[in-house]
């Protein structure tokens, strides 16, 4: 596939993982972040951490972008077979629009899917 995926093990050392392992790690990690009330407060009177966007949201978006890239690059034929292309594209479009609105992804992080992102970016800027 030409891509290498790494995830930090329990000691913090990056280890090579397969694409399916990476997706599982990302989704489990995001779920743990969302379930952590010190990151995502459950009461509206509790503040979010001072570094919320930088320390958590940007990492979540960067890693979720990679999950979308894996799906598009490795599983798009299957997505087409099950007639789910419109669903995937809609999810990705909303993801891109949200990341553009709040400037959550750097350009270098999206290069692997530059054409897809650029199409949605042009649409976003036209509607803005």
């Amino acid at each position: 596939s030409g891509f290498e995926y790494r995830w930090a093990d329990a000691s913090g050392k990056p280890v090579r993982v397969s694409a399916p392992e990476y997706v599982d790690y990302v989704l489990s990690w995001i779920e743990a972040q969302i379930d952590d009330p010190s990151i995502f407060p459950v009461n509206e009177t509790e503040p979010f951490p001072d570094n919320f966007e930088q320390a958590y949201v940007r990492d979540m978006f960067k890693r979720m972008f990679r999950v979308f890239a894996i799906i598009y690059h490795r599983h798009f034929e299957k997505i087409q077979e099950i007639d789910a292309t419109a669903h995937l594209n809609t999810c990705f479009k909303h993801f891109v629009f949200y990341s553009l609105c709040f400037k959550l992804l750097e350009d270098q992080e999206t290069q692997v899917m530059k054409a897809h992102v650029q199409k949605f970016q042009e649409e976003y800027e036209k509607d803005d």
Side-chain angles (χ1 to χ4, degrees), residues 1 8-11 16 30 35 39 41-42 44 46 55 68 73-74 77 89 99 114 121 126:
S1 74
D9 65 11
S11 71
R16 291 172 71 169
I30 289 175
D35 289 346
I39 299 170
V42 293
E44 62 185 53
E46 295 175 31
F68 274 111
H73 286 286
R74 299 183 72 127
E77 282 183 22
N89 287 339
S99 69
K114 185 177 182 175
Q121 186 169 7
K126 184 179 80 177

Side-chain angles (χ1 to χ4, degrees), residues 20-111:
E21 288 172 319
Y22 183 81
V23 170
D24 185 51
Y25 283 134
V26 167
L27 297 179
S28 296
W29 176 79
I30 289 175
E31 181 179 15
Q33 303 300 298
I34 291 171
D35 289 346
D36 184 342
S38 71
I39 299 170
F40 285 88
V42 293
N43 296 318
E44 62 185 53
T45 57
E46 295 175 31
F48 285 88
D50 290 338
N51 60 349
F52 179 71
E53 182 184 315
Q54 192 63 39
Y56 302 102
V57 178
R58 288 181 180 273
D59 273 351
M60 288 180 189
F61 268 73
K62 180 171 55 176
R63 292 173 182 181
M64 275 304 302
F65 181 86
R66 293 175 188 159
V67 169
F68 274 111
I70 290 168
I71 293 168
Y72 274 103
H73 286 286
R74 299 183 72 127
H75 304 289
F76 195 69
E77 282 183 22
K78 186 64 175 173
I79 297 295
Q80 289 175 313
E81 284 175 26
I82 63 172
D83 203 25
T85 306
H87 298 293
L88 176 61
N89 287 339
T90 298
C91 288
F92 187 60
K93 177 181 175 177
H94 285 282
F95 177 84
V96 170
F97 274 32
Y98 193 86
S99 69
L100 290 169
C101 181
F102 294 100
K103 298 172 179 54
L104 297 172
L105 292 170
E106 301 292 330
D107 286 342
Q108 72 265 17
E109 295 166 352
T110 63
Q111 290 304 301

